[in-house]
Amino acid sequence: MEQNTKTLRHGVNWDKALQLRERERSAFAAARPRSRSLSADAAEHLMFGVPLHWMDDWSTPFTLYVAAAQGASIRDVDGFSYTDFCLGDTGAMFGHAPAPVARAIAAQCQRGFTTMLPSPDAPWVAAELSRRFGMDKWQFALSASDANRFAIRWARAITGRDKILVFNGCYHGTVDDVFVDLEGGRPVQRASLLGQVYPLTEHTRVVEFNDLSALQAALAEGDVACVLAEPAMTNIGMVLPEDGYWPAAEALIREAGALLLIDETHTISSGPGGYARENGMAPDIVVLGKPVAGGMPCAVYGFSADTARRAEHAKREAPAGHSGIGTTLSANMLAMAAMRANLAEVMTDDAYRTMFGLAGQLAAGLRESIARHGLPWCVTQVGARTEFQFCPVPPKNGTEADAILDGELEQIVHLYLLNRGLLITPFHNMMLVCPDTRPADIARFIAVFDALLAELKG
């Protein structure tokens, strides 16, 4: 009994888990000579051997190279196929290379890529975004990171305030201002942030999600321009708002004269108008990136009528010159054509109904398997997004979510699934379904997951 207690980790036989890791790494390496060769070639001219250093964060002993991606499937250069539950970490949330988007891109390629002038798609896209999200006016960017940066700048210009407020453990792309965490209740700049030369804590406040008292205290000085938030946290493991949290939080934010900036880039899994619209929230600014153009680089940010009026006034009253907002390729014709096709034909109510049904089946199957093996894990779902976490009940804030992350165990789980043709995100344990995911894919995922838990239990 004493030995068994020492080797348990999140309910898993850790000695068995380590043996499993070595077996799965060997199996992956032996079966993929082409990916191994490309990884060796890439090391000569690519930093960390990959074009983006995040691509080195997967569980594999060397990089997996993709030959093609279509619908819910990926094929690697060694000929193995995978059912994709990662879907580009939301970038391909509606499937890889959806046909309407591919056709629109091909057609637009014959008419030009970018001119720094609007195409006829722009008014249609803006009107459709307003219909879905309930926001009055829109602007465009190339990524949610940029859209969040620009929205923060607008918020500061509108309010004349310099502070922003974020939630501990948040993720809003590579926006400098948000890399502030709570450690022992104190705000600290995240140690992993490279090249930061001024202290972020001078202009960023951070509180725990679901803590209304902390939010009220952080807003009390009246110097916060905006509260930047995902309506449900998704990137430190999912953290859902407690009942009544957002109505009360919105009231506090309005009372303090701050703006509410909602980042729907991941929570767009909740419905065609995002989590905020589905749940009756009334943000001042909404940001959406990644999947809005079917995987083409594009992001949007929308303003309520009053916020748009104040933003336009701030710009007109400012001296002439560069506002620091926007990039030359923003709203290029290629991205706008892709976004119009995606909104009109791919990101539909029917697609969401299909995805919700599949995600529900996946979540139920995961829960049944976890219960059958007696593991102290839980399952959380936000629309088409599902996650299992190494704790018996879902965390309620970023500190709790961070405490149960286990990178070693995650990588063992991910590699086991990958070797059996199932891909999930390399960060924590998130899964997405798309309109092309089939019920048979869900059933196979549950069967493989159940076999994995049996092996981990030993």
Side-chain angles (χ1 to χ4, degrees):
M1 179 65 70
E2 182 181 353
Q3 181 183 6
N4 196 35
T5 301
K6 288 180 180 178
T7 58
L8 282 180
R9 184 158 152 179
H10 298 296
V12 164
N13 181 327
W14 193 243
D15 293 335
K16 178 63 177 176
L18 294 178
Q19 294 169 15
L20 198 60
R21 179 178 65 184
E22 296 313 307
R23 186 190 80 191
E24 296 299 317
R25 286 174 66 87
S26 296
F28 176 91
R32 294 167 179 82
R34 182 66 179 141
S35 274
R36 182 195 289 273
S37 176
L38 286 167
S39 293
D41 293 344
E44 185 174 358
H45 296 296
L46 291 173
M47 287 178 57
F48 308 101
V50 285
L52 170 64
H53 68 85
W54 297 0
M55 294 177 179
D56 197 35
D57 290 342
W58 291 79
S59 57
T60 54
F62 49 81
T63 305
L64 180 71
Y65 276 77
V66 175
Q70 183 72 51
S73 297
I74 282 178
R75 187 178 75 254
D76 72 18
V77 294
D78 288 288
F80 292 99
S81 292
Y82 307 85
T83 302
D84 189 5
F85 290 88
C86 171
L87 295 170
D89 193 21
T90 308
M93 195 177 95
F94 302 99
H96 295 287
V101 177
R103 287 193 299 268
I105 291 171
Q108 185 61 50
C109 281
Q110 306 304 311
R111 301 192 296 266
F113 297 176
T114 186
T115 62
M116 211 171 71
L117 288 166
S119 72
D121 291 324
W124 187 96
V125 167
E128 174 62 11
L129 290 169
S130 289
R131 183 189 72 81
R132 287 173 180 248
F133 292 91
M135 309 304 286
D136 195 59
K137 298 286 178 64
W138 293 86
Q139 292 282 272
F140 298 85
L142 288 177
S143 70
S145 293
D146 277 348
N148 278 315
R149 286 189 190 95
F150 302 155
I152 289 170
R153 191 174 286 270
W154 281 118
R156 285 171 166 156
I158 288 168
T159 62
R161 300 174 174 185
D162 67 328
K163 305 289 192 300
I164 72 164
L165 189 150
V166 298
F167 292 99
N168 186 38
C170 69
Y171 179 74
H172 301 288
T174 55
V175 178
D176 293 355
D177 307 67
V178 307
F179 285 84
V180 179
D181 298 322
L182 282 177
E183 290 186 4
R186 297 171 57 85
V188 297
Q189 190 166 295
R190 195 169 301 172
S192 61
L193 183 59
L194 294 173
Q196 184 61 41
V197 296
Y198 61 87
L200 297 177
T201 51
E202 291 183 2
H203 297 283
T204 301
R205 297 208 176 110
V206 57
V207 299
E208 293 286 13
F209 198 62
N210 282 319
D211 187 338
L212 289 170
S213 296
L215 176 63
Q216 184 174 30
L219 292 167
E221 293 183 36
D223 56 357
V224 172
C226 70
V227 175
L228 171 57
E230 290 183 287
M233 296 178 69
T234 64
N235 214 64
I236 196 167
M238 284 205 283
V239 180
L240 305 186
E242 295 178 336
D243 288 345
Y245 174 74
W246 272 120
E250 287 187 78
L252 291 174
I253 293 164
R254 304 260 182 271
E255 183 181 349
L259 301 176
L260 176 57
L261 168 50
I262 289 292
D263 184 348
E264 293 272 16
T265 299
H266 285 174
T267 52
I268 191 63
S269 62
S270 304
Y275 187 102
R277 194 75 188 274
E278 291 291 324
N279 291 276
M281 296 176 64
D284 300 290
I285 309 175
V286 164
V287 164
L288 173 62
K290 290 183 186 178
V292 69
M296 280 287 292
C298 186
V300 303
Y301 55 112
F303 300 79
S304 69
D306 182 64
T307 309
R309 178 188 59 76
R310 295 171 68 188
E312 290 176 345
H313 176 77
K315 170 59 180 166
R316 292 189 175 108
E317 291 298 306
H322 200 308
S323 64
I325 297 170
T327 56
T328 304
L329 294 179
S330 297
N332 67 78
M333 294 189 296
L334 202 58
M336 298 301 284
M339 187 161 31
R340 180 170 184 168
N342 194 57
L343 290 169
E345 302 181 63
V346 180
M347 198 172 160
T348 63
D349 291 349
D350 285 345
Y352 272 100
R353 277 190 287 271
T354 297
M355 292 156 66
F356 290 167
L358 292 166
Q361 293 172 34
L362 177 59
L366 292 171
R367 291 188 181 104
E368 289 172 8
S369 183
I370 288 167
R372 181 163 47 252
H373 293 283
L375 285 168
W377 300 1
C378 66
V379 176
T380 311
Q381 182 184 352
V382 176
R385 181 181 300 272
T386 307
E387 178 152 16
F388 57 91
Q389 293 168 284
F390 304 138
C391 53
V393 295
K396 67 179 182 181
N397 58 43
T399 294
E400 290 185 7
D402 183 63
I404 54 93
L405 293 177
D406 188 329
E408 280 190 287
L409 180 54
E410 289 167 12
Q411 294 218 334
I412 294 166
V413 170
H414 299 177
L415 185 55
Y416 185 99
L417 294 170
L418 187 150
N419 276 341
R420 288 150 186 82
L422 300 165
L423 203 68
I424 71 172
T425 52
F427 320 110
H428 46 98
N429 299 306
M430 193 277 292
M431 294 143 288
L432 281 166
V433 295
C434 72
D436 295 298
T437 307
R438 303 167 302 168
D441 298 327
I442 303 296
R444 196 168 79 82
F445 189 102
I446 297 303
V448 172
F449 182 76
D450 194 73
L452 165 64
L453 298 193
E455 291 212 51
L456 288 174
K457 288 287 287 187

